[in-house]
Amino acid sequence: MNLLEEALAGLQSITARASSESDQVTAEVDGNGTLTGLWMDDSISSLDAHTLATMITSTTREAARLATEQRTRVMTALQDGFGRV
């Protein structure tokens, strides 16, 4: 039971942030990859819409990838724990 509770708490606490190479965009996602925060520097006003959209998308994708890594670690720990039971 403790294994499941620890895994559930671990999954619920996952959050990941990523910033664009230029640090103009920062995205934050939860453990499901849902966007929970998006910050943009004032300097984005000089970017065209396509460049900005690409930057937002790739930064959010990177944050989701980092969250997936965290989720995988939690699930691996759970599976390993069941192997010891």
Side-chain angles (χ1 to χ4, degrees), residues 12-55:
Q12 291 174 338
S13 69
I14 292 173
T15 184
R17 275 190 187 188
S19 293
S20 61
E21 287 183 27
S22 63
D23 287 328
Q24 290 176 296
V25 174
T26 298
E28 180 181 81
V29 301
D30 65 14
N32 295 317
T34 302
L35 185 65
T36 57
L38 183 64
W39 298 269
M40 292 177 269
D41 189 78
D42 291 340
S43 64
I44 64 159
S45 62
S46 64
L47 301 175
D48 65 86
H50 177 73
T51 301
L52 179 58
T54 300
M55 189 180 298

Side-chain angles (χ1 to χ4, degrees), residues 1-13 74-75 77-78:
M1 190 68 161
N2 287 339
L3 290 172
L4 291 174
E5 289 174 356
E6 288 174 14
L8 182 58
L11 291 172
Q12 291 174 338
S13 69
V74 169
M75 296 307 292
L78 176 63

